[in-house]
């Protein structure tokens, strides 16, 4: 993410583009690699869901992927802007709405999908 994108995300989240130092907390900026940990956790859960789907478990796989999306929404909701890394794509409310809507759709898909008998 370049400086212009970080500034735009910081403004959309209601913060300052300098990492929160101007908010009076004097909190040090989080290292870049550490801010990507929530993103890596979400990607790992998504990969696990895809592996489960590939193993022909068409009810469990989408449920795991939906859980990963809900985890991403939880991270986006609760973590400060310094810690969300690549999970911050748009404004916070748009990200939350998108992630939760996709998770609900996948849960419905997992519920109505027929179980394949082997």
């Amino acid at each position: 993410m370049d400086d212009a994108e970080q500034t735009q995300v910081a403004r959309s989240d209601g913060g300052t583009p300098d990492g929160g130092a101007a908010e009076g907390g004097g909190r040090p900026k989080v290292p870049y690699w550490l801010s990507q940990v929530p993103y890596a956790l979400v990607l790992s859960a998504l990969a696990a869901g895809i592996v489960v789907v590939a193993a022909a478990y068409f009810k469990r796989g989408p449920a795991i992927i939906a859980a990963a999306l809900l985890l991403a929404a939880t991270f986006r909701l609760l973590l400060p802007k310094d810690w969300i890394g690549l999970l911050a794509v748009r404004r916070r409310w748009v990200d939350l709405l998108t992630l939760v809507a996709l998770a609900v759709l996948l849960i419905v898909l997992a519920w109505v999908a027929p179980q394949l008998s082997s």
Side-chain angles (χ1 to χ4, degrees), residues 13-71:
D13 284 344
T16 57
D18 62 352
E23 294 176 7
R27 192 174 49 179
K29 189 170 172 116
V30 176
Y32 179 75
W33 68 269
L34 190 58
S35 70
Q36 299 309 317
V37 169
Y39 185 67
L41 290 173
V42 170
L43 281 182
S44 299
L46 285 172
I50 291 170
V51 167
V52 170
V53 169
Y57 292 103
F58 295 109
K59 284 186 157 297
R60 292 183 193 148
I64 293 171
I65 294 171
L69 291 172
L70 289 175
L71 178 66

Side-chain angles (χ1 to χ4, degrees), residues 34-107:
L34 190 58
S35 70
Q36 299 309 317
V37 169
Y39 185 67
L41 290 173
V42 170
L43 281 182
S44 299
L46 285 172
I50 291 170
V51 167
V52 170
V53 169
Y57 292 103
F58 295 109
K59 284 186 157 297
R60 292 183 193 148
I64 293 171
I65 294 171
L69 291 172
L70 289 175
L71 178 66
T74 303
F75 283 152
R76 185 69 173 108
L77 178 65
L78 299 177
L79 292 178
K81 65 178 173 31
D82 295 347
W83 281 71
I84 51 178
L86 291 174
L87 289 177
V89 178
R90 296 165 219 82
R91 293 183 183 184
R92 182 171 289 186
W93 68 271
V94 175
D95 287 342
L96 287 172
L97 183 67
T98 304
L99 290 167
V100 170
L102 287 174
V104 167
L105 288 173
L106 278 172
I107 289 170

